Amino acid sequence: MYQLIDGKRISQEIKDELKEKVAKQGLKRCLAVIKVGNDPASGVYVNNKKKACEYVGIQSLSYELAEETTEEELLKLIEELNTKEDVNGILVQLPLPSHIDEDKVLLAIDPTKDVDGFHPVSVGNLSIGRPGYVSCTPAGVIQLLKRSGIEIAGKECVVIGRSNIVGKPMSMLLLRENATVTICHSRTRDLKEVTKRADILVVAIGKPRFVDETFVKEGAVVIDVGIHRNENGKLCGDVDFDKVAPHTSAITPVPGGVGPMTIAMLMHNCVEGI
Ligand code: NAP
């Protein structure tokens, strides 16, 4: 029987620990959240972030800018927030409208306030083992493994996906935890041959139910980062859960696995700083 890794419970546990710390130590934290345009999914994410801040005891400042906002106006706002001493975290909700250069915007955020961990300085610090903010979703995966009693050191870990926000930082974090790490991508030859070596397989490929039991070694741990809505409006991941779960020793469900961890780790970054 496999272990179901419960991201809902673990994310709640993390938020409760942070809430207690903020209250006990009287910490003053403030997160500025910037949203540009009317993307409905972004609206939901931003609201969830505001709610989580309220729960933990972090002040949140909300900047909901019109679709027509220029790149220059957005950069000016970030510059102002960079210099505001009482703001310790700045988050720009992605995606941005197409007339704004995302890279330029992420680069404008002061790395000491980069709670999303997307700034090249944060990424560089992660790669060379210096303190810095770590991207929330991969940081959440590490917490899921640790808090479920799954040893990482010495394990063969395979990550499918090399995106800047999930695959690459995920691999660096597993390496930091002393795993042996292989990264796969769309040009990987014989993907299954590689994934079947994994003691821990992290899937961030962005394709609904792509991974079935033929990709997985018997008894492996499988972490599914993917989120999709299927034809019936139900959420599913990059892994075909029903086919894969019986062959694993532990697996994350979708929903209720990696998903809730992202906001919990954002709250962690806001409270703990670098
Ligand atoms: P992405 O930027 O689209 O990256 C997908 C990666 O998968 C790429 O590196 C791509 O390779 C690789 N890939 C695509 N097809 C492949 C194939 N046939 N074989 C091997 N590799 C293949 O996606 P992402 O932003 O990393 O997100 C991945 C998934 O996680 C999505 O479902 C997303 O919705 C989800 N997600 C969830 C959370 C959360 O839970 N909070 C956060 C972020 C993302 P190339 O580089 O060669 O193109």
Side-chain angles (χ1 to χ4, degrees):
M1 189 54 193
Y2 59 85
Q3 175 189 356
L4 191 66
I5 300 174
D6 187 348
K8 231 171 143 182
R9 178 185 62 75
I10 295 171
S11 63
Q12 189 59 47
E13 194 176 285
I14 291 171
K15 283 188 284 182
D16 285 339
E17 288 166 10
L18 294 169
K19 183 184 170 93
E20 195 183 326
K21 181 167 180 172
V22 168
K24 258 195 184 153
Q25 300 184 10
L27 299 176
K28 296 264 173 285
R29 297 287 186 268
C30 174
L31 171 67
V33 180
I34 306 172
K35 176 168 89 73
V36 186
N38 307 315
D39 179 48
S42 292
V44 174
Y45 293 141
V46 164
N47 266 339
N48 288 343
K49 286 167 189 174
K50 281 194 247 171
K51 269 194 225 154
C53 281
E54 206 174 306
Y55 182 81
V56 170
I58 298 169
Q59 190 196 349
S60 70
L61 300 176
S62 185
Y63 298 85
E64 312 223 346
L65 311 181
E67 182 85 23
E68 314 74 68
T69 304
T70 64
E71 186 177 285
E72 206 184 351
E73 286 166 334
L74 178 57
L75 292 173
K76 190 161 170 270
L77 171 61
I78 294 172
E79 201 38 59
E80 276 167 30
L81 293 169
N82 280 343
T83 55
K84 264 192 154 189
E85 262 178 45
D86 54 335
V87 170
N88 68 297
I90 303 171
L91 182 154
V92 178
Q93 185 64 46
L94 302 178
L96 288 168
S98 55
H99 65 276
I100 299 178
D101 180 345
E102 231 164 68
D103 283 346
K104 223 172 176 181
V105 169
L106 295 181
L107 211 64
I109 296 171
D110 179 341
T112 65
K113 301 188 178 190
D114 174 38
V115 283
D116 253 342
F118 294 161
H119 193 287
V121 168
S122 307
V123 178
N125 283 332
L126 173 62
S127 320
I128 61 172
R130 280 169 51 100
Y133 286 111
V134 176
S135 172
C136 301
T137 303
V141 170
I142 297 291
Q143 285 302 311
L144 282 179
L145 292 169
K146 287 189 169 173
R147 289 175 186 246
S148 302
I150 296 164
E151 180 83 42
I152 305 172
K155 295 280 177 69
E156 253 333 309
C157 292
V158 175
V159 179
I160 318 183
R162 58 173 166 182
S163 70
N164 288 341
I165 58 165
V166 187
K168 279 187 199 140
M170 186 72 253
S171 309
M172 294 313 302
L173 281 174
L174 290 165
L175 190 61
R176 191 164 88 176
E177 297 295 331
N178 298 311
T180 302
V181 185
T182 307
I183 309 173
C184 299
H185 46 79
S186 64
R187 305 286 290 275
T188 298
R189 261 189 286 143
D190 201 351
L191 183 62
K192 287 184 189 180
E193 189 262 324
V194 182
T195 59
K196 280 187 120 164
R197 293 207 299 261
D199 301 314
I200 300 174
L201 177 63
V202 181
V203 188
I205 189 171
K207 296 197 157 121
R209 295 203 202 89
F210 182 91
V211 168
D212 66 14
E213 73 281 16
T214 60
F215 287 77
V216 178
K217 176 171 81 177
E218 204 63 34
V221 173
V222 176
I223 305 291
D224 187 354
V225 182
I227 301 182
H228 314 275
R229 220 167 260 288
N230 73 10
E231 36 316 324
N232 309 319
K234 266 185 77 181
L235 288 178
C236 72
D238 289 349
V239 174
D240 190 328
F241 183 89
D242 293 338
K243 287 184 180 162
V244 171
H247 299 276
T248 66
S249 56
I251 184 167
T252 54
V254 177
V258 175
M261 295 302 291
T262 301
I263 288 189
M265 297 317 290
L266 175 67
M267 296 301 106
H268 167 92
N269 283 352
C270 291
V271 172
E272 302 291 351
I274 296 177

